[in-house]
Amino acid sequence: MDLVQLQRQLVDYRTSLYHEGFLDEQFTQLQSLQDENNPDFVVEVVSLFFEDSERLLNELSKALEQQIIDFKRMDGQVHQLKGSSSSIGAHRVQKLCIVFRNYCEAQNVEGCLKCLQQVKHEYGIIKTKLESMFQLEQQILNAGGSIPV
Amino acid sequence: MSGNGASSSSLNMISGEDVVNNNLTALVVDDSPLLRLLHDIHLKKYGLKVQVAENGKVAVDLFHLGASFDLVLMDKEMPVMNGVEATKELRAMGVTSMIVGVTSKDGPGEQQAFMEAGLDYCFEKPLTPEIISFLLEELNKHNNKD
């Protein structure tokens, strides 16, 4: 695939992520903060989001396996996940976290279990999509091109 | 300056280029490394010198050691010492920095309780360029009055 095609593919891919609700304008804000002084800023922030999310999802899974569930602690963890997903524009994950917090507040175990599965699913999707997008960007840079805005 | 809550809808849209300032200092207080990085880079883009703290106690300790900052971005929910406690303590120490609370979009009373601790403003996280521009305009106005 030549450079122009790669760049077009990236633009189309990015547009689809917004159109399908995976990303919101906060991701655009992130991209606007990247410049020659911070050339890897978006990748750094998104990597922190991946680390945060995986840790929190792991903790939430363990919490829901306990005999006595600490809903207050879980609520705090979902709150953190909501904050970090909102900060990078991971729209679907953020929205699910709002529902998840309601179930924590209601101490509804079934609701929490269902939400956790949904959040894990959506997180998996956005992680794959963002990694694909970064790979495409790298291909463009390796071909000597620039990333289209 | 105390207790002047402002919603993002009442902000004037100011170009970021108008408020780049190399003299202002800021402290970002947040237990999330992601939010610390995000706000750190964002503020540095406007020319501020930025330090970060991972909870309210670290922030308060910095001031006890004699540090001063023009702007403090204070997260609300943090371990060890949360934003409400840290803000109360800073104001009790006589700190007059602009303290801006950053909260998640949660219960209706959340921002009000935080404001009452002694904030100048409270906004939802993450802060947008428009909000940061507004805060810097307010800081510049305040500094010009001194």
Side-chain angles (χ1 to χ4, degrees):
Chain A
M1 204 181 289
D2 68 16
L3 181 58
V4 172
Q5 282 179 308
L6 279 174
Q7 288 170 324
R8 193 169 298 135
Q9 187 182 350
L10 176 64
V11 170
D12 289 345
Y13 192 69
R14 235 170 14 205
T15 305
S16 73
L17 293 182
Y18 286 94
H19 188 67
E20 290 165 31
F22 290 106
L23 294 178
D24 61 29
E25 64 185 34
Q26 181 56 31
F27 191 78
T28 313
Q29 303 275 15
L30 272 193
Q31 290 179 308
S32 72
L33 291 173
Q34 184 161 296
D35 58 21
E36 58 277 1
N37 294 321
N38 300 289
D40 300 316
F41 175 65
V42 176
V43 169
E44 281 178 25
V45 172
V46 171
S47 298
L48 282 172
F49 166 67
F50 291 159
E51 281 173 31
D52 254 5
S53 303
E54 280 157 32
R55 174 184 59 84
L56 289 165
L57 288 171
N58 204 26
E59 287 175 10
L60 286 164
S61 296
K62 286 183 183 159
L64 282 166
E65 286 165 10
Q66 303 306 310
Q67 288 232 331
I68 297 171
I69 295 174
D70 187 343
F71 285 101
K72 191 171 177 204
R73 187 151 191 261
M74 267 181 42
D75 180 62
Q77 287 160 339
V78 179
H79 172 82
Q80 283 182 58
L81 184 57
K82 182 166 94 72
S84 58
S85 58
S86 145
S87 297
I88 71 136
H91 189 72
R92 290 193 187 186
V93 174
Q94 182 209 346
K95 289 292 173 203
L96 281 170
C97 287
I98 295 171
V99 178
F100 199 157
R101 287 199 80 185
N102 291 337
Y103 282 123
C104 289
E105 205 177 327
Q107 302 201 0
N108 182 330
V109 176
E110 289 302 313
C112 285
L113 281 165
K114 185 178 146 197
C115 263
L116 178 60
Q117 289 317 308
Q118 287 172 331
V119 171
K120 279 181 172 176
H121 177 72
E122 283 299 336
Y123 166 71
I125 295 174
I126 191 64
K127 184 176 183 205
T128 302
K129 287 188 181 287
L130 286 170
E131 284 174 338
S132 297
M133 192 184 76
F134 293 145
Q135 271 169 20
L136 204 40
E137 287 180 353
Q138 196 54 54
Q139 279 182 273
I140 290 168
L141 292 172
N142 291 346
S146 60
I147 309 297
V149 290
Chain B
M1 234 184 320
S2 63
N4 291 329
S7 68
S8 45
S9 59
S10 64
L11 300 172
N12 292 321
M13 293 302 174
I14 301 156
S15 160
E17 291 158 1
D18 298 333
V19 294
V20 172
N21 190 307
N22 292 322
N23 299 320
L24 295 175
T25 58
L27 178 64
V28 174
V29 190
D30 204 305
D31 61 327
S32 162
L34 193 160
L35 265 298
R36 286 200 300 270
L37 177 63
L38 186 59
H39 286 143
D40 175 35
I41 298 297
H42 210 154
L43 291 171
K44 278 176 175 161
K45 232 175 149 57
Y46 286 93
L48 279 83
K49 293 180 179 52
V50 184
Q51 262 186 261
V52 299
E54 67 261 30
N55 61 56
K57 183 173 186 310
V58 173
V60 168
D61 286 348
L62 279 171
F63 278 91
H64 272 304
L65 289 169
S68 69
F69 302 93
D70 298 292
L71 172 68
V72 178
L73 295 188
M74 184 76 78
D75 182 26
K76 185 169 178 278
E77 296 186 30
M78 295 180 284
V80 185
M81 185 186 286
N82 65 36
V84 175
E85 292 161 7
T87 303
K88 283 181 185 170
E89 196 146 328
L90 289 176
R91 292 304 191 208
M93 285 166 61
V95 168
T96 57
S97 310
M98 181 190 282
I99 305 180
V100 177
V102 282
T103 66
S104 298
K105 193 175 174 178
D106 282 311
E110 188 178 339
Q111 282 197 5
Q112 183 60 35
F114 203 178
M115 285 296 304
E116 285 167 6
L119 296 179
D120 294 288
Y121 301 99
C122 193
F123 295 105
E124 281 170 26
K125 60 169 110 175
L127 300 186
T128 62
E130 290 79 14
I131 290 172
I132 292 181
S133 295
F134 165 76
L135 292 174
L136 296 182
E137 272 288 311
E138 292 299 301
L139 270 175
N140 284 329
K141 279 184 210 169
H142 182 251
N143 288 348
N144 287 338
K145 275 186 200 167
D146 293 341

